Structure formats: C-alpha cells, structure tokens
Amino acid sequence: MTLAIQGLTKAYGGLHVVNDVRFEVPSGALVGVIGPNGAGKSTLFSLITGFLAADAGDVSFEGRSLGRASPMERARAGMVRTFQVPREFSHLTVRENLLAAAPGQSGERLIDTFFRPGRVKAEEAAIAREAAETIDFLRLAKVADVPAGRLSGGQKKLVELGRALMTGARMILLDEPFAGVNPVLIEELSVRIRELNGRGIGFLIIEHDLAALNKLVSTLHVMDRGVLIASGAPAEVLGNPRVRDAYLGGAAA
Amino acid sequence: MDAYLIAIAIITAIYVLLALGLNLQYGLTGIVNFGHVGFFCVGAYTTAILSEHGVPLVVSFPLAAVLAMAFAWPLGLVSIRLREDYFAIVSLGFSEVVRLVATSERWLTNGVQGIAGIPKLFAGWLTGPAQSYAVLGLLVAFNALAILAMLRIVRSPFGRMIEAIRDNEEAVKALGKDPAGFKIQVLVLGAALAGLAGAVYAHYIGYISPEQFLPLITFQIWMAIIMGGVGRISGALVGAGILMLFLEGSRFLRDVMPFISEVSMASVRLGVVGLALILFTMYRPQGLMGDFTRK
Ligand SMILES: Nc1ncnc2c1ncn2[C@@H]1O[C@H](COP(=O)(O)OP(=O)(O)OP(=O)(O)O)[C@@H](O)[C@H]1O
Ligand SMILES: [Mg+2]
C-alpha cells in the first residue's frame, strides 16, 4: 500500500471540515476524489501533505508513518502536491519554475556555486533537458521563457503539474488539474497522466470535471461535508443515490 | 575633484554596500529586514574596538564582517520562520538592542561618548586627498566584488531558489525544499556586507557613537532600494545615488530658505527624502531601474 490515510480529522471551531477520513491508495494507482464545493477535499490534501496539522489521524506512505513530518519531509519522501489556486513563482519563467523543482541540486549550495561551477553546470544541463521535455509534454513551449505570473489560469495549472513531475515524486496529488485547461488539452493531459502512471507514478486527483476524471481513474472517493460517503469504481459510485443527493444538496444550498 | 565631492562619493559608496545587502535580502529573497543598521553597527564597533587594542586593519576588517554574520545567523535561526511582518519587527528590535548595548556597555564601547581616534585607513602611507581617493578606491573594490558575487548568485540555482522563495514560499515547501535554510544564508550574507560597510565607515569617520546607528539608517537604505529598483543590482547603485542627492542636495535648501533654523533643517531634509519616496511610489513604483521581474 503506497499511501494510507488513517482517520484524518480537522475541525475549525466546531465545524468538522475533514472528519475521520480513511482510505488507501495502492502503489501506482490512479484515484479520484470528488465532492461538492466545500466538501473538504483540498483540506484533506493539506492534511496528507503536512501543510495543515491534523487534529487526529495519521498518514503512512510506503509503509512509513508520517506523523508530524513537515511538508518538506513529505515531499522529499516522494509525495508531492499541487495547489488548487496556482502558486507559480510569478517572476520566474516557466522553464525556471520547472528547474527550481528539480531535487538535490548542488548549485543550491553557495559553496558549490562558487567553488564547483563545473559540477553545477553539468547538473544544470541535465536538469534543463528534463525541463525541456516536460515543457514539450505539457505543450508549454510557446511560453517557456515567459514569467509564469503572466500566464493564463490554465497554463499556471500546467506549470504546477510540471513542477510536481520535475520533483521525481512517486505519488502526486493534483488539486483540480483540469480547471481552466481547454478540453483538447485535458484529453491529452489525461493520456500523459495515464502514461506517467504506467511508469509507476501514483496519482490522487481532485477534480470537478467528472467526465474527464471518470475516464482516467479506476477508483473514486466521494466526500461531503468532511465525510467520506462513497468509494468504488466510477460508474458504481456515480449511480449511488447518496452521492447524487450530496451534489444536488450542494446545488440547492 | 574637491574634498566635499570625494567625501560624498565615499559615503555614497558605503550606502551602496548597505543597499546591495538589503537588496539581496528583500529584493531577491523577500526578507523584510528592518534591522540592517544593527549589522552595520556591529561591524563598526568590532573594528573600532579591535583597533583600540592594536589589532591591524587587515585582521579587524574581515572580523567586522564575520562578527556581523555571527549575529545574523542565530537571529535567522530563531526568527526567520516567523511571518514576514513579525520578522520585520524582530529585526528592528535586534538593531535597537545592538544600539542599546553599545550605549550601556561602557567598558567595551565607551557608552554615549563613543570611540574616538579610530585609525584612518592607509594612515602612515597616504595623507590628504590621496588618502580619500584610496578609501574610495577600496570601497569601489568592495562594491565590485559584492556585485560580482551577487551576479554569480543570481544566475545560480541558489539564486533561482531564493527568487522562488520570494514569489511563493509555500510552493517551495511543496517541492521539498526548506525556505528557512536559504533565507538564513541570505540574511548572513547581507549582514556581512553591512558589517564591512560599518568597518569602512568607522575608519573613515574616525569616531563612532551609538546615535550614529539609529533605525533611521535602515530606513534610508530602504528608501534607496525602493527608489532605485527593488530586486535589481543596479537599483542599489542608483538608489544610493539618489538618496545622497536628496540628503546632500537638501543642504542647499538653506540658501533658498534662510528663514529655517539649523535645527529644523535636519527635519526638512528628511521631509524632502520622504516626499521623494512618496512621489516615487506614486509615479514610478518599480523604482528608477525597473521592477524586480528580472535581475
Ligand atoms: N482556515 C479555515 N477556517 C475555517 N474554515 C475553513 C478554513 N479552511 C477551510 N475552511 C472550510 O472548510 C471547508 C472545506 O474547504 P475545502 O477547501 O477543503 O473544500 P473543497 O472540497 O476543496 O472545495 P472546492 O471544491 O470548492 O475546492 C469549507 O467550508 C471552508 O470554508
Ligand atoms: Mg478545493
């Protein structure tokens, strides 16, 4: 089991935003999380990745309990998230955004920058090739050298995904990766995500575009008001009356 | 060049050194350091006290920078993880503590009387204008080295990471990199430049006392980088120049406004710089050398 979510709970005041959520993501799986607005999906991601401290529950990744590990430690352990509202490095170009994400760069140490420029340069060249591939892969070549702050919302989402890929993570948590991305590219992205998944990267994806998500994932988890209300194969889950109620209730409110 | 102009050039060059450090911290990394003058003060007192005890300048100068770094490191360690506005307050507090210690620890610093008779640079070799030129030359060399080092940093993966931190710290964490480690290093580097600036200042003026290290100095450096262009190395150069232009230029206001007393003149001059700052933020918020989008 790659990722095990064990009773995560988070309350603000008296309101349980995430309430005893538990499920598992097998290694190399493609899993979706859905639910109406405010269901607690993004909060769940923050709990999993350590950006928020859980009131109760734990997360284990590749057999190791993460307890109170920091977001940095969790990312370095191989589990990386993206953000619903893109957090691009706005003054860096798209390419630089991706380069910054590459792990273990000796050039990020001042000593090496000044005293081992050869090594830094060689590493940088290798990372640059990887970044160029990722940029092509995400169809960002046209804006590769534009400051990321000037991109459209959809393009920024692609930059977030690109950075996550550059980290070499084995488990990637995507918070609404398709929001603002054009339908043609969504199709393509889905193909590429499946391809990456074929290479062993697990994905946990929050998405409101159910049509696109259903084609992608093998398992869906549905949240409503902090609680996990259904889990299973997409067709089965979407036929569940409780799930329909949750969505309609959300729309009526 | 007459002595007055050389003197101004020297003071400007000291400001440039300070502005380069602050620009590295704020412009490139987003660290809101309101205590820059504290490191300047540590550098000045370090070399002044060591010189009093006969330590040669070639030793006391590097030690001034090292001691400023030694103050910055623990400060960063305990407070850099704070939210940026809290760090601003802590750093301001730090510089005031430094000044208060310089005021009260008379055995070490001679208190409010300050330390006089700090040996001049190049004393014994050069005198008069030649000496001033040499001091200026030394400052130009320090600044050139600082700029070269900063260019190297800006173009390195380290430089990319500190700009990423400035743009979005949470995203940096999400990638598995610890912003605090980078920020502490930057704080320490900026402090080294301020310490060095303090050392040159002490030996150039020849006399230091706590009242020369008021928070006002910090805010003048801030004005310089805001007017020059935050996040740009050229911004520090140009900004320090504009600052001096206003500080010194306003001296001549007395010629056109003879009714203002000597005492109120200091306030008027500060008002002029403040007014310039307001005009800059209104009409050219990106500073003279442009915004911090690119280096
Ligand atoms: N810091 C906070 N204080 C109080 N309430 C919060 C806080 N953060 C989130 N919430 C609440 O938690 C609930 C869940 O928010 P969350 O962002 O996790 O929802 P979501 O399922 O991701 O929704 P969406 O689909 O709209 O992105 C919301 O009702 C939100 O208002
Ligand atoms: Mg959300």
Side-chain angles (χ1 to χ4, degrees), chain A residues 92 107, chain B residues 28 152-164:
Chain A
L92 302 187
Chain B
L28 292 172
R152 184 72 164 264
I153 289 172
V154 162
R155 291 176 186 145
S156 73
F158 181 93
R160 186 165 63 214
M161 189 43 60
I162 59 177
E163 291 194 61

Side-chain angles (χ1 to χ4, degrees), chain A residues 22-24 26 29-34 204-205 210 213-223 228-240 243:
Chain A
R22 45 184 83 229
F23 62 83
E24 292 177 339
L30 248 172
V31 174
V33 177
I34 64 168
L204 185 60
I205 306 176
L210 297 185
L213 190 63
N214 289 343
K215 279 190 262 170
L216 195 55
V217 301
S218 51
T219 309
L220 268 186
H221 296 285
V222 189
M223 286 180 72
L228 194 65
I229 58 167
S231 299
E236 171 197 328
V237 162
L238 292 178
N240 182 333
V243 174

Side-chain angles (χ1 to χ4, degrees), chain A residues 12 15 17 35-44 84 175-176 206 208:
Chain A
Y12 290 110
L15 182 70
V17 172
N37 293 118
K41 307 179 296 294
S42 296
T43 306
L44 177 67
Q84 178 172 355
D175 197 340
E176 301 191 17
I206 297 175
H208 283 299

Side-chain angles (χ1 to χ4, degrees), chain B residues 15-207:
Chain B
Y15 271 113
V16 172
L17 211 48
L18 285 163
L20 284 171
L22 186 63
N23 215 4
L24 175 67
Q25 291 169 344
Y26 177 66
L28 292 172
T29 320
I31 300 171
V32 182
N33 173 10
F34 278 179
H36 209 37
V37 71
F39 305 110
F40 183 61
C41 183
V42 167
Y45 270 94
T46 300
T47 190
I49 293 166
L50 289 175
S51 302
E52 267 187 327
H53 293 85
V55 176
L57 294 192
V58 283
V59 177
S60 69
F61 253 69
L63 279 180
V66 168
L67 214 69
M69 293 164 89
F71 275 75
W73 188 65
L75 178 72
L77 219 51
V78 298
S79 58
I80 206 83
R81 283 181 180 81
L82 297 174
R83 237 173 54 194
E84 67 175 27
D85 39 352
Y86 292 151
F87 179 77
I89 295 166
V90 170
S91 59
L92 176 61
F94 158 78
S95 73
E96 281 295 87
V97 167
V98 168
R99 190 173 63 86
L100 291 176
V101 168
T103 309
S104 53
E105 298 303 310
R106 303 198 48 197
W107 61 274
L108 185 66
T109 63
N110 201 25
V112 284
Q113 271 100 48
I115 301 173
I118 304 167
K120 294 278 178 181
L121 288 165
F122 308 108
W125 297 334
L126 301 168
T127 49
Q131 191 179 23
S132 300
Y133 279 120
V135 173
L136 188 57
L138 183 70
L139 274 165
V140 169
F142 281 158
N143 276 305
L145 280 177
I147 289 170
L148 284 178
M150 279 177 68
L151 283 174
R152 184 72 164 264
I153 289 172
V154 162
R155 291 176 186 145
S156 73
F158 181 93
R160 186 165 63 214
M161 189 43 60
I162 59 177
E163 291 194 61
I165 289 167
R166 176 197 63 204
D167 284 356
N168 203 312
E169 221 171 297
E170 293 296 286
V172 169
K173 290 184 190 168
L175 299 173
K177 306 192 182 192
D178 185 8
F182 290 92
K183 288 166 85 174
I184 292 172
Q185 291 178 62
V186 167
L187 188 71
V188 167
L189 282 179
L193 292 181
L196 199 58
V200 181
Y201 175 79
H203 290 285
Y204 174 66
I205 302 286
Y207 163 74

